[in-house]
Amino acid sequence: MVDGGRFAAKRVVGDRVAVEADCFADGHDVIAVRLKWRREDDTQWKEVPMVPVGNDRWRAVFEPESSGRWYYTVGAWVDRFLTWHHDFERRIDEADLRLAARVGAELIEQAAGRASGDDARRLAHWASQLGAAVERQAAAAEVRALALDDDLGRIAARYPDRSLEFTFPVELPLVVDRERARFSSWYEFFPRSASREAGRHGTFKDCEAMLPYVAEMGFDVVYFPPIHPVGRVNRKGKNNTLLAASDDVGSPWAIGAEEGGHKSVHVPLGTLADFEKLVARAHEFGIEIALDIAYQCAPDHPYVKKHPAWFRWRPDGTVQYAENPPKKYQDIYPFDFESEQWEQMWCELTDVMEFWIGSGVKIFRVDNPHTKAFPFWEWSITQLKRKYPDVLFLSEAFTRPKVMHRLAKLGFTQSYTYFAWRNTKQELTDYFTELAHGPGREYFRPNVWPNTPDILTEALQFGGRPVFMSRLVLAATLSASYGIYGPAYEHLEAAPREPGAEEYLNSEKYELKQWNLTRPDSLAPFIARVNLIRRENPALHDNASLRFLSIDNPQIIAYLKSTAALDNVVICVVNLDPHHRQSGWLTVDLAELGIDPATPFQVHDLLTDAHFLWQGSSNYVEIDPQRAPAHVFRLRRRLRREQDFDYFM
């Protein structure tokens, strides 16, 4: 239960949802417990018996077969037939046995009345036989054998008297998403910088031309910053200056101009038809286009004139621009989500997302949702997912932990994290243990990014190529979903706007860029290798199995992920020191993996294609950051030995 059932837990299609409940009653009667579940639009519950696992704890599993909103609960009752059967097995006194058999015949006859068809006939015949055996003073052994007939007993148990059943009073919600909600690889780039010609504004057709490059790196989601008209009033210049030159393109997050707003396309990019063609073309590469939803307006957005009540006006007749001290956004007006016309505004903003869903978009990255009304998100996302259960929402909220978790509870499918600022072994261990195994695991799906257009961390500024590589491996293997802002990432962009700042010098947020996608020093081949490893190893498709391993060097972090059947086990070892070779002895619990400590086993480094033969729980590793700052080992078990050849899986 998430907050007692106030919010939904989350799963994906095909998950087996395990439910446990503590169920008990007064006395010694036998109780029966059923797990119940249904889709939101179903009127009938599906049921499965729950089984006791000790100390009045009961357990059962169900599997939701489609995306959407589901509900589940538990019902329990004192089962008179099972109680009778349990007690009858222990009766010794013959007089008690015959009296109990008469009681049993009555209970079986009642069960026959609740049954139908052949079951009803068989139960009625059984009740009659048992009653007749008592009346004719049949031998006690015959009465016992007849009363304890296993096959007939199982039939009777299917038709209990549930008139006094107690059902848990909360129908617990469950949101079921498609697989990409759990496992995804995101690549962000600015469409306006997709041109291969210096100084020319990129178009959606240029974006089409970039799809093979993105697909070759192995990403399955391409995320675009806003593609809407960019405001001219208070437009920002290069490096976020307040005075823009005539040729400055402004920030795409300053949405809206006389050409249109959130349902319009920035004219230099192309037309809506061009965008829809791009979406279709991306699908041919196995890629989805994710759009940025930024609910804010440039001062010249049509909403400002048409719906002035949607904004907060100051006594001097102006609207207070957005601020996040010390950052100021003079080119952006925030909405007033508590205005007197809030209902009209909420419907319109929801319709914005529905408009783009109509153009083929099924994933939205939502900008700063923590600065908008929580009730709006809960209402809007719920409405949209009722109509479009495959739509996914990524929350870009770098804010306080409880706020981030609240947004996830309100309906966001995935959430940004603090990964960019977790660098040491202890920080990474503590944080990802919390994400994978803390209470948020039921609803908070992390999507980790080593960089964004707003975030160039100190580690990336000074760590060089090894840090870019190690941070990518950490992001891609610690979390089932991750993303990078490129081509800045694979091109090792590391210059800050000023010392101590986390923003890029000559930030692409405020100007066009031209990227050379064939640079010989690009990390693109390395990224492609990591994403291939992710795709081919199901252990990396989830976070639930993550556990950190002991290694006797604070500069090396090691962790393991595995499938439930242990047919895919991946061990990651990452050097956190970008400057020096580091080594250590890594300890693995072999019993947990079903490996005999006396039997050698092989680990295959999927990054370098090297193979190592290990034996025992402690093995030596050494990592040179100038060559490859990490190992991603797949454990290979010895199957058999024939002459001089070992066979591994």
Side-chain angles (χ1 to χ4, degrees):
M1 295 187 293
V2 179
D3 291 1
R6 166 65 177 86
F7 299 108
K10 294 173 185 171
R11 296 292 187 272
V12 301
V13 175
D15 275 346
R16 290 167 53 83
V17 183
V19 179
E20 295 185 357
D22 293 338
C23 304
F24 50 89
D26 55 278
H28 301 287
D29 290 339
V30 176
I31 66 171
V33 185
R34 297 277 178 91
L35 171 62
K36 309 177 181 184
W37 73 95
R38 64 177 177 85
R39 276 187 62 93
E40 184 177 41
D41 49 1
D42 289 342
T43 57
Q44 298 295 319
W45 293 95
K46 297 179 181 179
E47 293 186 352
V48 66
M50 301 185 78
V51 297
V53 294
N55 194 26
D56 293 316
R57 173 67 55 89
W58 298 71
R59 188 179 193 274
V61 174
F62 74 98
E63 186 174 320
E65 63 270 13
S66 60
S67 55
R69 195 173 186 88
W70 293 72
Y71 290 94
Y72 60 96
T73 191
V74 171
W77 62 92
V78 171
D79 193 300
R80 294 184 63 202
F81 172 77
L82 293 179
T83 300
W84 167 81
H85 188 277
H86 177 268
D87 291 345
F88 194 87
E89 288 180 310
R90 289 156 178 75
R91 293 193 181 277
I92 300 175
D93 183 82
E94 186 170 332
D96 285 347
L97 186 79
R98 296 181 184 281
L99 182 60
R102 292 175 60 184
V103 173
E106 294 177 1
L107 293 173
I108 295 166
E109 186 175 7
Q110 293 168 10
R114 293 186 291 270
S116 61
D118 187 56
D119 284 351
R121 289 188 291 273
R122 293 184 67 184
L123 290 175
H125 180 63
W126 184 27
S128 176
Q129 278 188 307
L130 186 58
V134 174
E135 290 298 324
R136 61 182 171 81
Q137 295 294 306
E142 179 183 347
V143 173
R144 176 182 292 277
L146 183 59
L148 296 178
D149 186 292
D150 288 339
D151 290 339
L152 293 171
R154 280 190 286 270
I155 296 174
R158 294 203 296 263
Y159 302 100
D161 177 7
R162 298 172 65 169
S163 59
L164 296 180
E165 175 181 357
F166 175 80
T167 298
F168 186 71
V170 180
E171 294 184 6
L172 299 166
L174 178 77
V175 169
V176 179
D177 293 303
R178 55 195 173 101
E179 177 64 21
R180 191 149 287 171
R182 173 165 57 197
F183 178 68
S184 54
S185 305
W186 292 53
Y187 185 78
E188 176 183 4
F189 73 89
F190 284 68
R192 69 188 189 185
S193 294
S195 170
R196 303 280 68 84
E197 303 170 27
R200 180 173 69 81
H201 195 290
T203 67
F204 292 134
K205 293 181 180 179
D206 293 320
C207 294
E208 280 191 56
M210 277 192 66
L211 290 174
Y213 169 77
V214 178
E216 188 173 335
M217 283 193 292
F219 291 100
D220 48 46
V221 178
V222 165
Y223 153 53
F224 289 156
I227 59 172
H228 316 300
V230 178
R232 296 179 179 86
V233 176
N234 295 342
R235 176 176 288 190
K236 293 294 188 73
K238 293 180 177 62
N239 286 310
N240 199 25
T241 56
L242 295 178
L243 297 177
S246 59
D247 60 344
D248 279 333
V249 291
S251 167
W253 282 273
I255 297 171
E258 61 182 18
E259 300 93 323
H262 285 75
K263 297 178 184 177
S264 301
V265 169
H266 192 45
V267 173
L269 292 173
T271 66
L272 181 61
D274 293 332
F275 174 75
E276 292 173 347
K277 182 184 176 186
L278 169 62
V279 171
R281 181 67 173 146
H283 284 168
E284 297 176 13
F285 286 92
I287 292 171
E288 288 191 67
I289 301 296
L291 276 192
D292 193 288
I293 290 294
Y295 284 142
Q296 57 204 29
C297 296
D300 41 336
H301 192 299
Y303 284 156
V304 178
K305 287 185 178 180
K306 189 175 181 181
H307 303 288
W310 293 2
F311 305 89
R312 290 180 179 170
W313 295 86
R314 297 183 294 186
D316 63 355
T318 62
V319 176
Q320 173 62 55
Y321 56 76
E323 290 186 278
N324 182 19
K327 296 181 180 180
K328 295 184 178 182
Y329 304 95
Q330 294 90 343
D331 53 345
I332 291 173
Y333 285 176
F335 286 109
D336 179 5
F337 280 81
E338 291 81 35
S339 76
E340 293 183 358
Q341 296 182 11
W342 65 270
E343 290 179 280
Q344 180 189 21
M345 187 184 75
W346 287 22
C347 289
E348 171 63 15
L349 297 184
T350 301
D351 194 58
V352 166
M353 289 188 279
E354 189 159 14
F355 175 87
W356 292 107
I357 292 171
S359 292
V361 177
K362 292 295 182 67
I363 304 180
F364 296 101
R365 178 269 199 188
V366 180
D367 187 72
N368 287 322
H370 57 291
T371 62
K372 286 78 180 173
F374 287 176
F376 165 74
W377 292 122
E378 184 171 21
W379 173 81
S380 181
I381 292 175
T382 300
Q383 296 301 314
L384 288 169
K385 287 188 73 70
R386 280 198 176 109
K387 296 177 70 174
Y388 313 100
D390 285 345
V391 174
L392 310 178
F393 301 87
L394 170 60
S395 166
E396 184 259 357
F398 295 113
T399 182
R400 302 181 305 281
K402 288 184 174 63
V403 176
M404 294 169 69
H405 279 253
R406 185 70 171 193
L407 289 164
K409 293 175 183 179
L410 293 172
F412 281 93
T413 315
Q414 297 180 352
S415 304
Y416 274 45
T417 69
Y418 302 134
F419 167 73
W421 301 280
R422 299 294 184 266
N423 296 295
T424 68
K425 181 176 182 175
Q426 193 64 53
E427 289 172 342
L428 289 164
T429 300
D430 291 346
Y431 188 48
F432 280 91
T433 298
E434 173 194 335
L435 291 176
H437 304 295
R441 70 188 184 279
E442 300 292 353
Y443 59 85
F444 189 98
R445 295 193 187 106
N447 191 326
V448 305
W449 293 67
N451 76 326
T452 76
D454 291 302
I455 300 170
L456 174 64
T457 61
E458 187 176 23
L460 293 177
Q461 292 176 30
F462 298 104
R465 189 181 187 88
V467 164
F468 277 83
M469 295 172 72
S470 64
R471 295 298 288 179
L472 184 99
V473 171
L474 288 167
T477 57
L478 281 169
S479 175
S481 290
Y482 90 107
I484 61 172
Y485 154 54
Y489 198 88
E490 62 265 32
H491 289 181
L492 311 177
E493 291 285 313
R497 189 181 67 192
E498 59 203 21
E502 281 194 341
E503 293 196 49
Y504 286 87
L505 178 65
N506 302 322
S507 171
E508 195 172 4
K509 288 175 60 179
Y510 308 104
E511 60 183 89
L512 300 182
K513 290 282 190 179
Q514 184 186 18
W515 301 99
N516 176 11
L517 302 184
T518 61
R519 276 176 49 170
D521 63 340
S522 172
L523 280 181
F526 179 77
I527 294 169
R529 182 74 173 179
V530 171
N531 281 335
L532 178 64
I533 293 169
R534 279 168 53 85
R535 287 198 306 275
E536 292 184 344
N537 289 275
L540 300 176
H541 296 187
D542 201 348
N543 298 324
S545 67
L546 174 67
R547 48 199 183 276
F548 289 89
L549 305 176
S550 174
I551 187 166
D552 60 348
N553 185 332
Q555 294 297 328
I556 303 179
I557 189 169
Y559 47 95
L560 178 150
K561 283 187 171 182
S562 63
T563 55
L566 297 179
D567 54 355
N568 186 236
V569 178
V570 175
I571 297 173
C572 300
V573 187
V574 183
N575 185 352
L576 302 178
D577 178 358
H579 306 295
H580 304 98
R581 182 192 303 262
Q582 297 288 344
S583 62
W585 287 88
L586 172 69
T587 302
V588 180
D589 186 343
L590 298 184
E592 186 179 64
L593 301 177
I595 296 175
D596 182 353
T599 302
F601 60 97
Q602 190 182 93
V603 291
H604 176 198
D605 187 351
L606 302 175
L607 282 177
T608 64
D609 209 31
H611 295 74
F612 302 89
L613 197 62
W614 286 3
Q615 184 171 349
S617 60
S618 185
N619 289 273
Y620 179 78
V621 294
E622 183 175 286
I623 307 175
D624 181 355
Q626 303 307 317
R627 299 182 62 186
H631 293 300
V632 179
F633 293 125
R634 178 173 177 179
L635 187 149
R636 297 167 67 87
R637 302 168 187 270
R638 173 176 284 170
L639 296 179
R640 64 184 185 275
R641 184 177 181 89
E642 293 183 4
Q643 296 178 351
D644 296 325
F645 298 95
D646 285 324
Y647 293 83
F648 294 91
M649 64 170 291

